[in-house]
Amino acid sequence: MLLLGQRALRHPSFMLGATLTALVLAAAALSFIWTPWPPGHMNMGATLQPPGAQHWLGTDAYGRDVASLLLVGARASIAVGVIAVGIGLALGAALGLLAAARGGWVEEAGMRLADFTFAFPALLLAIMLTAVFGPGMVNAIVAIGIFYIPTFARVTRASAKAVWARDYILAARACGKGPWRITFEHVLPNIASVLIVQATIQFALAILAEAALSYLGLGTQPPQPSWGRMLAEAQTLMFQAPLLAVWPGMAIALAVLGLNLLGDGLRDLLDPRLSRQR
């Protein structure tokens, strides 16, 4: 563990990604206890103000403080990312482990079900759910989570199949261990690093998906701030106040960049082959 920590400190991609991700998490945590202004406070006498001492990043068309909206908007992105990736990871990993352990028609049926789910992207699923249940964060989370199930199922199955072919699995079978005991004692611990890296990368994509859905009005609904909806509201003011689009765009870009760099760094650190090379 100490050696892993030392290698992490010397890994620039991991450190930069961890720093950016920590900043986003810190912003979301800070918004629960403090914001420069109440995020829902409107001041029609101070609309479209440039950045200054009173409003650090300026105000929007309703006189709301942009810095406060960005801080609170981080909550929605993180909440959607964590829950949607959690849904995809839990159900997808279970399906992939089942397919690898049982094989045969169970594996074939599981993978064909994953292929069928791939036919419905997150955006299309959100539109379908919105048409039935109305727009909202919950529907966006469900849509993104369902879309991630086949992704995690395929990654889990491929990684688990490679582990099932190892000699120590044959030795475990010779000792009388059943497929489920082997799965939880040997297979899952050996593919955990792959799932962690995949979850980190999918977290970044979930933030992008949430921003896109909110931009289209299908995700987080008013009065809850959202980076995607801030972009949608700023598009009609691009020539009057271009910074209104810059701030949420930068927030999304930095969050996604940080998580991608963090995922790449974790892949390098947790891969035993790369560990031996360094």
Side-chain angles (χ1 to χ4, degrees), residues 71-263:
L71 289 174
V72 179
R75 297 185 205 167
S77 297
I78 292 174
V80 171
V82 169
I83 300 174
V85 171
I87 292 173
L89 177 60
L91 298 180
L95 183 60
L97 289 172
L98 175 64
R102 297 300 298 271
W105 70 268
V106 174
E107 180 180 10
E108 187 68 19
M111 292 304 99
R112 297 297 75 77
L113 178 61
D115 291 340
F116 175 77
T117 309
F118 267 128
F120 297 93
L123 183 58
L124 181 58
L125 278 174
I127 293 174
M128 293 169 59
L129 290 174
T130 299
V132 177
F133 302 106
M137 181 187 291
V138 174
N139 292 337
I141 290 173
V142 172
I144 298 171
I146 292 175
F147 179 71
Y148 282 162
I149 292 174
T151 301
F152 281 104
R154 284 188 169 278
V155 171
T156 303
R157 170 184 167 272
S159 302
K161 292 284 283 186
V163 174
W164 275 98
R166 301 293 177 85
D167 291 340
Y168 59 82
I169 299 297
L170 184 61
R173 283 177 166 174
C175 292
K177 292 183 178 181
W180 299 119
R181 187 176 176 186
I182 292 174
T183 295
F184 289 105
E185 290 185 2
H186 301 285
V187 177
L188 187 57
N190 280 283
I191 67 172
S193 60
V194 177
L195 296 179
I196 291 172
V197 173
Q198 186 67 24
T200 304
I201 295 173
Q202 295 302 324
F203 194 168
L205 297 178
I207 290 178
L208 278 177
E210 188 279 331
L213 292 173
S214 296
Y215 179 85
L216 296 174
L218 305 176
T220 307
Q221 298 297 301
Q224 176 68 31
S226 168
W227 291 343
R229 204 174 65 254
M230 289 176 68
L231 281 174
E233 294 172 352
Q235 68 179 348
T236 58
L237 302 168
M238 289 296 294
F239 295 102
Q240 296 173 263
L243 288 179
L244 290 181
V246 171
W247 302 127
M250 286 182 58
I252 295 170
L254 291 176
V256 173
L257 175 63
L259 286 165
N260 278 322
L261 291 175
L262 181 62

Side-chain angles (χ1 to χ4, degrees), residues 8-9 11-26 200 254-266 269:
L9 291 175
H11 198 293
S13 175
F14 175 83
M15 291 305 299
L16 179 58
T19 301
L20 292 175
T21 302
L23 288 175
V24 175
L25 294 175
T200 304
L254 291 176
V256 173
L257 175 63
L259 286 165
N260 278 322
L261 291 175
L262 181 62
D264 289 342
L266 286 173
L269 294 172

Side-chain angles (χ1 to χ4, degrees), residues 7 20 40-41 57 64 176 178 205 215 270:
R7 289 179 54 238
L20 292 175
H41 176 72
L57 301 181
R64 296 174 299 183
L205 297 178
Y215 179 85
L270 298 176

